[in-house]
Amino acid sequence: MKDFISKYLGAAILSGVIILTIATVFRNHLVYEAPDVTTINICHWQLETGFRKALQKLIDEYEKIYFNKHGKKIKIIQLPIGEKGYTLYVNTTIIGGTAPDIIEKAHAKIADEPAYIARFFVPLSRDLAEPNPYNEGTEFEGVPWRETFFDGLMSCYNRTLLDYYKVPFSMFTIRLYYNKDLYKKIIGKDELPKTYGELLEVWAKIKEYARKTGRPIVPIAGSKVQSDIFGYKFLPTFFYTLNRKCDYDFNGDADRYEAWRAFKEKKWDFQAPQLISAWQCMSEMAQNFQDGWVAAQRDDAAFMFVQGRSVMIASGSWDASSLIDQVGDTFNVGIFDFLVPTEHPIYKKYVKGQVSEATTGGGIPWSITKQSKNKDICIDFLRFCTTKKNNQQFNRAITWLPIIKGCKLSDVLIPFKPEVRGFIGSFVFEISQEMRLRAQGDKWDLFSGRISPQQYGEALQEIFIRTGEEGYLDTLDNDQRNGRNIDRVLSSYIYGWGEGTKQEEKKATESKIIQLMSSVQGHAANNFEREKMFEKLKE
Amino acid sequence: MRFINLFFALLMLFISFSSFAKTENPLDVVNKEVAYLNYNKSAKLAEQVRLKSKVGSDEWLKSTLALAISLHQCQPDVKSEKIRAAKLYQEIIDNSKNKPIQAKAMLLLARFASERDYLHDKSDKAKSRELYGRIIKEWPGSKLSDAAALFKAQLDIYSTNKAEILKGINFTLDWIKKRPTNLFASLQYQLIARAYYRDLNDPLKSVEYDLEAEKIGLPPLTQMDYFYWNVANVAEIGGQTNIAVKYYKKVITDVVSSGFAYESQIRLKELGITPPELVDPFAEAVK
């Protein structure tokens, strides 16, 4: 017997595996590729169990409804891919012609650059302008699908291609989570601070408590990710006045060209009080993170908070469910909004309000690939998922913010409601690659107090002056290529212009040509003006 | 063994017939690939169709245009392919007198001439102008002539020479007068509005032409809050407070969740006007 096992076990296992493989192939073929089954693949990088389960629930319901409606079988398969391999997967499958029908649009150049988007993804403006048939009998009956989203889908509008290429399921905002019990114990009351100054006092009290009691407690759990969250919320508020001074084209942003031009016109430099104050404020807040926070990962920070070693943590609504679950009954979690220094004696000169969340939206954006043979079913599925009932059910299951009007937030998410009062716009001075690397690299030294804001500014100014012209031209070259790429799309429409017999199709082509001509005109005007400005101001 | 061979032979035969039965019209396949911007593939397919068609026939013209566009627009931008694309456009122009495809080829060749695609490639704006002029002259009243008029005006207006800019503006205004409902009229007004503000430092005229563009309808899916915000700012600079107030208000009331809404309220207060209430589309989510 022993001899028999040692002689044939390997072969038996091999045969078993082969039989199993063949059986699996046959099973898959019968289930997914049988002639009477239409298969739709949908890929994403959300590996959270709750997400997959919630999406599967929608899929199961849709498959049943589709069968009842059309008498045809349909199978929607989720393809969850890890975050690290996602870019590779999306890029290679799209280029190789084997892309899934629907993909979560993120992390890949192909999903981001206008020329690729136009080439590989289905424009959705026409479908979004029609009512969602699954809304029949509801308050949204007859309402264009686009208008059923909280933000009218403004966050998903592609300003280069002048069209929509994605449909989101959720939206996200960021807030401060805090340990209610520990807060009360240290501060002696439940009331939260109302101003930035009061927040600093709270943090000082927490530090004092830790020093006195010898307990390893810090005001905020920090990591580079947390620091960036503070940066996202605070820096634009300081840059706002500078932004408006340099925003020559009134699009809300002071881009690299405008920042360079304004620098040459001596409207600002790297010792500008707006910049110095912003960096000072960031550095001030980072003093309340734990020692060595620069080396900590996002998970380390979350772990500190969950273990009660920090009173607060900055994070997004996407973390609500996992943080609250991990804390369990250990303590009560509270959530409140960031307090920007509008009343601070120095900072208030520049900080006029917080960053607006009016255009919040666009989380979990789904795009349909042009390669899909079942575009209509894909659109129908996305419509099914974005009814008020289904969107609420999906987001409740994973404790995320729904994106369809009329959906109610669960109690825990109420503090995450987007705040429409505030300003938009960015001030981008990272004009060259060296500038980007240095600004990013030195920022950790700045926030952790190793260098002063003035030193940081001096270093950046030296690089800005030395690499500015080269960076300006590189950026211009890139934008000219982007503009040229829009022309590649326009040519394709000009080729089909006036062809075909259906009046509706002809009109749609013309409408797209007008949009693309508008984009081409905008790019050409901007790039011409940038060239002209460079010639005028270069040394 | 003989049976296995026979089986495979029959299988191959079946596959060949089934694929033959499914074959689409080759020109339709080319059209589809051009629509997908799959230019490398469409170039190969169009070349095959072109070789099999009679010179000057509709199929030859269409496949030649597809081939020219594919070579013109495919990436990477290779010099020899671009030069061939230009020759193909010219072949179409020479072989398609009085056919609308001629105007299309002219328009695309004009675009080609002013673009720079490879190392040492030069923009030939004079040739572009000449071709746009030919379309306007030889295809009057066509939509392609409207497109040519817009592109031609852009060549003049994107200039550092004030006289050239004014020439482009006057040409465009004449065009709109002649063809007020042309497809690109709102783009033409916007071109003029931008030139007045950016190049000629005349915010009043700039606002005037932006409002004309709005009146006849901006391009589909224009982000209206950006348009309103721009008009309001330029109007304020030009001292047209009434228009500024009107358009700041429009940002708040006409666009759901505009990022400029809160700031528009502040601007209105600064102008001594009580602003409309901010619309909070998320308010009902917490009721």
Side-chain angles (χ1 to χ4, degrees):
Chain A
M1 186 64 183
K2 217 175 177 184
D3 280 356
F4 181 82
I5 289 174
S6 62
K7 204 171 174 182
Y8 294 109
L9 183 64
I13 292 173
L14 194 65
S15 309
V17 169
I18 291 171
I19 290 166
L20 193 68
T21 311
I22 293 170
T24 309
V25 168
F26 270 108
R27 182 190 159 273
N28 286 348
H29 191 80
L30 285 173
V31 176
Y32 304 129
E33 290 168 29
D36 63 335
V37 177
T38 304
T39 307
I40 304 281
N41 292 308
I42 175 166
C43 83
H44 57 79
W45 54 280
Q46 311 299 143
L47 296 188
E48 305 92 333
T49 327
F51 180 91
R52 277 179 284 170
K53 219 170 142 186
L55 184 60
Q56 194 55 48
K57 199 170 174 211
L58 286 175
I59 290 172
D60 293 344
E61 278 175 39
Y62 180 71
E63 286 174 356
K64 269 185 223 157
I65 285 175
Y66 189 86
F67 182 75
N68 292 339
K69 210 164 146 189
H70 303 279
K72 289 176 188 166
K73 284 184 199 163
I74 184 173
K75 194 78 205 160
I76 300 179
I77 305 168
Q78 286 193 61
L79 305 169
I81 316 284
E83 197 175 340
K84 281 184 183 164
Y86 196 72
T87 306
L88 195 67
Y89 177 80
V90 170
N91 286 344
T92 51
T93 53
I94 286 181
I95 296 284
T98 56
D101 302 83
I102 304 174
I103 71 159
E104 186 187 358
K105 207 159 144 310
H107 291 309
K109 190 175 181 175
I110 279 183
D112 275 339
E113 292 217 348
Y116 292 118
I117 294 173
R119 176 170 170 182
F120 294 116
F121 295 100
V122 177
L124 297 166
S125 55
R126 237 188 303 172
D127 304 290
L128 286 161
E130 289 167 9
N132 179 350
Y134 292 98
N135 281 335
E136 270 173 32
T138 73
E139 74 256 48
F140 295 130
E141 183 171 338
V143 175
W145 185 19
R146 195 178 70 217
E147 298 302 325
T148 64
F149 291 78
F150 270 125
D151 66 341
L153 269 198
M154 282 180 77
S155 56
C156 291
Y157 184 67
N158 188 308
R159 284 170 65 190
T160 302
L161 297 170
L162 309 177
D163 212 314
Y164 299 85
Y165 287 86
K166 52 190 181 182
V167 173
F169 278 11
S170 305
M171 57 183 174
F172 299 112
T173 56
I174 48 181
R175 299 285 183 266
L176 282 167
Y177 291 79
Y178 74 107
N179 180 331
K180 276 184 161 179
D181 303 340
L182 196 54
Y183 180 88
K184 192 176 180 184
K185 190 174 175 186
I186 299 172
I187 308 301
K189 57 181 180 182
D190 288 321
E191 284 90 73
L192 290 164
K194 289 190 178 62
T195 64
Y196 175 75
E198 286 176 16
L199 182 64
L200 287 186
E201 281 169 24
V202 164
W203 287 343
K205 278 186 187 165
I206 296 168
K207 277 173 141 182
E208 180 61 16
Y209 173 85
R211 195 184 59 77
K212 272 188 186 163
T213 59
R215 285 185 63 187
I217 293 173
V218 292
I220 322 169
S223 74
K224 284 182 179 173
V225 173
Q226 264 65 40
S227 161
D228 279 340
I229 289 175
F230 275 97
Y232 174 78
K233 279 299 231 183
F234 280 74
L235 292 176
T237 67
F238 281 90
F239 297 167
Y240 162 70
T241 51
L242 206 51
N243 170 313
R244 290 299 180 258
K245 205 155 72 171
C246 308
D247 178 19
Y248 296 91
D249 59 6
F250 307 116
N251 71 352
D253 292 315
D255 60 28
R256 293 187 182 100
Y257 307 102
E258 289 170 322
W260 188 81
R261 175 181 169 183
F263 183 84
K264 288 279 180 185
E265 291 174 351
K266 301 202 183 309
K267 286 189 177 176
W268 71 281
D269 64 17
F270 283 86
Q271 297 299 323
Q274 293 94 331
L275 298 182
I276 297 295
S277 305
W279 297 331
Q280 182 65 47
C281 178
M282 285 297 295
S283 182
E284 204 168 85
M285 289 189 292
Q287 304 309 311
N288 296 289
F289 293 165
Q290 76 278 18
D291 289 340
W293 64 268
V294 175
Q297 301 293 314
R298 175 180 167 226
D299 291 345
D300 299 329
F303 201 47
M304 269 193 86
F305 178 72
V306 170
Q307 284 187 325
R309 290 189 288 125
S310 77
V311 181
M312 298 176 191
I313 186 170
S315 195
S317 51
W318 58 85
D319 268 341
S321 140
S322 66
L323 281 177
I324 292 166
D325 282 353
Q326 285 180 69
V327 166
D329 295 331
T330 322
F331 58 84
N332 291 303
V333 177
I335 296 155
F336 70 106
D337 204 352
F338 291 80
L339 298 160
V340 292
T342 44
E343 292 170 29
H344 187 277
I346 299 170
Y347 302 156
K348 73 176 179 188
K349 265 202 275 180
Y350 319 110
V351 180
K352 304 294 176 198
Q354 60 177 342
V355 174
S356 168
E357 292 173 335
T359 51
T360 296
I364 318 295
W366 301 106
S367 294
I368 300 167
T369 54
K370 277 193 176 169
Q371 293 162 17
S372 171
K373 288 178 184 147
N374 299 296
K375 294 181 188 78
D376 291 343
I377 300 176
C378 295
I379 290 167
D380 195 56
F381 173 64
L382 294 178
R383 282 177 165 161
F384 171 77
C385 296
T386 48
T387 59
K388 182 176 149 185
K389 179 177 155 261
N390 289 340
N391 190 245
Q392 178 148 315
Q393 171 201 302
F394 171 80
N395 283 290
R396 285 239 165 168
I398 44 177
T399 328
W400 282 358
L401 297 169
I403 196 155
I404 298 298
K405 282 180 188 169
C407 286
K408 302 287 176 218
L409 301 188
S410 55
D411 289 346
V412 70
L413 289 175
I414 287 175
F416 287 101
K417 181 189 95 65
E419 178 51 75
V420 293
R421 280 169 303 168
F423 303 91
I424 56 163
S426 57
F427 180 74
V428 188
F429 55 71
E430 292 92 345
I431 196 157
S432 63
Q433 186 60 16
E434 187 180 345
M435 192 79 192
R436 281 187 280 279
L437 289 173
R438 192 68 185 272
Q440 188 65 24
D442 282 5
K443 136 179 130 176
W444 309 121
D445 284 343
L446 168 75
F447 296 163
S448 55
R450 286 196 201 97
I451 56 171
S452 68
Q454 286 78 5
Q455 286 170 316
Y456 183 64
E458 271 168 34
L460 292 186
Q461 178 139 330
E462 185 275 319
I463 302 168
F464 191 83
I465 291 170
R466 181 163 49 78
T467 65
E469 288 188 4
E470 189 192 327
Y472 188 104
L473 292 177
D474 278 350
T475 314
L476 182 59
D477 185 49
N478 196 37
D479 280 334
Q480 280 170 335
R481 261 184 282 135
N482 274 336
R484 173 71 183 84
N485 285 340
I486 305 303
D487 210 65
R488 296 182 209 274
V489 185
L490 177 62
S491 286
S492 150
Y493 280 90
I494 288 178
Y495 176 73
W497 195 3
E499 303 286 331
T501 47
K502 287 183 188 163
Q503 207 54 31
E504 198 184 306
E505 274 175 21
K506 281 186 177 180
K507 275 207 152 187
T509 304
E510 274 180 5
S511 175
K512 194 73 205 168
I513 286 173
I514 299 170
Q515 284 175 261
L516 287 164
M517 296 264 284
S518 167
S519 188
V520 165
Q521 178 164 295
H523 269 88
N526 283 337
N527 290 332
F528 168 72
E529 212 162 273
R530 289 158 183 168
E531 260 180 51
K532 196 172 73 173
M533 196 49 63
F534 183 79
E535 289 305 318
K536 193 177 155 191
L537 294 172
K538 74 174 179 185
E539 282 166 359
Chain B
M1 196 64 192
R2 207 179 297 162
F3 285 112
I4 293 172
N5 286 342
L6 187 65
F7 171 75
F8 277 111
L10 286 171
L11 188 69
M12 296 303 287
L13 200 66
F14 173 75
I15 291 168
S16 322
F17 270 110
S18 58
S19 62
F20 178 76
K22 279 179 192 168
T23 304
E24 276 182 78
N25 174 1
L27 197 54
D28 287 344
V29 181
V30 171
N31 295 344
K32 212 180 269 177
E33 294 303 330
V34 172
Y36 283 164
L37 313 184
N38 210 353
Y39 290 129
N40 288 308
K41 195 171 174 187
S42 60
K44 283 178 200 152
L45 297 170
E47 185 90 89
Q48 287 169 14
V49 179
R50 179 179 133 90
L51 284 171
K52 286 179 192 161
S53 354
K54 196 182 155 207
V55 177
S57 67
D58 283 351
E59 197 174 54
W60 183 87
L61 289 170
K62 199 84 207 281
S63 58
T64 305
L65 185 65
L67 178 59
I69 288 178
S70 304
L71 296 173
H72 176 188
Q73 306 296 5
C74 73
Q75 288 176 293
D77 294 300
V78 178
K79 186 178 175 182
S80 58
E81 286 178 350
K82 306 296 151 182
I83 291 170
R84 184 160 179 235
K87 280 184 187 157
L88 290 168
Y89 283 135
Q90 194 56 54
E91 270 186 51
I92 298 164
I93 295 167
D94 296 341
N95 286 285
S96 60
K97 215 175 170 198
N98 297 329
K99 290 184 178 170
I101 201 168
Q102 188 188 44
K104 261 190 200 179
M106 282 183 193
L107 190 79
L108 290 159
L109 183 58
R111 296 291 298 154
F112 174 90
S114 53
E115 284 160 357
R116 281 173 297 180
D117 277 332
Y118 49 86
L119 197 64
H120 306 307
D121 188 12
K122 281 183 185 148
S123 168
D124 187 351
K125 289 185 180 160
K127 183 161 187 193
S128 293
R129 274 196 182 91
E130 181 213 317
L131 284 161
Y132 291 137
R134 269 188 73 185
I135 298 169
I136 290 165
K137 196 175 155 198
E138 292 170 25
W139 294 91
S142 69
K143 288 172 182 174
L144 282 158
S145 73
D146 296 326
L150 178 64
F151 284 135
K152 186 173 181 285
Q154 286 172 4
L155 287 178
D156 291 333
I157 288 175
Y158 302 151
S159 158
T160 47
N161 182 326
K162 200 176 163 184
E164 287 277 301
I165 298 170
L166 287 169
K167 188 179 130 198
I169 289 175
N170 291 332
F171 167 79
T172 306
L173 287 173
D174 281 349
W175 190 269
I176 299 171
K177 212 170 172 185
K178 273 189 282 180
R179 295 181 54 77
T181 55
N182 87 74
L183 277 185
F184 308 108
S186 70
L187 284 180
Q188 288 168 323
Y189 276 129
Q190 284 188 302
L191 179 69
I192 297 171
R194 189 176 169 128
Y196 268 117
Y197 180 65
R198 305 282 182 91
D199 304 308
L200 304 173
N201 199 21
D202 189 342
L204 296 181
K205 288 253 182 203
S206 175
V207 169
E208 181 189 332
Y209 290 113
D210 260 339
L211 298 188
E212 287 294 337
E214 188 192 11
K215 209 187 287 172
I216 58 170
L218 294 166
L221 298 176
T222 296
Q223 269 195 298
M224 293 311 292
D225 57 338
Y226 281 80
F227 177 80
Y228 296 151
W229 178 253
N230 185 74
V231 170
N233 273 279
V234 177
E236 201 179 342
I237 290 169
Q240 295 170 294
T241 312
N242 288 345
I243 294 175
V245 167
K246 184 179 169 189
Y247 280 83
Y248 283 134
K249 281 185 179 174
K250 276 165 99 70
V251 172
I252 303 166
T253 55
D254 291 13
V255 185
V256 181
S257 68
S258 167
F260 292 117
Y262 180 67
E263 200 173 348
S264 293
Q265 277 193 323
I266 294 175
R267 296 283 178 95
L268 286 168
K269 281 178 197 161
E270 284 168 0
L271 291 169
I273 304 289
T274 308
E277 283 293 311
L278 217 55
V279 181
D280 183 353
F282 310 106
E284 57 178 312
V286 293
K287 270 180 194 164

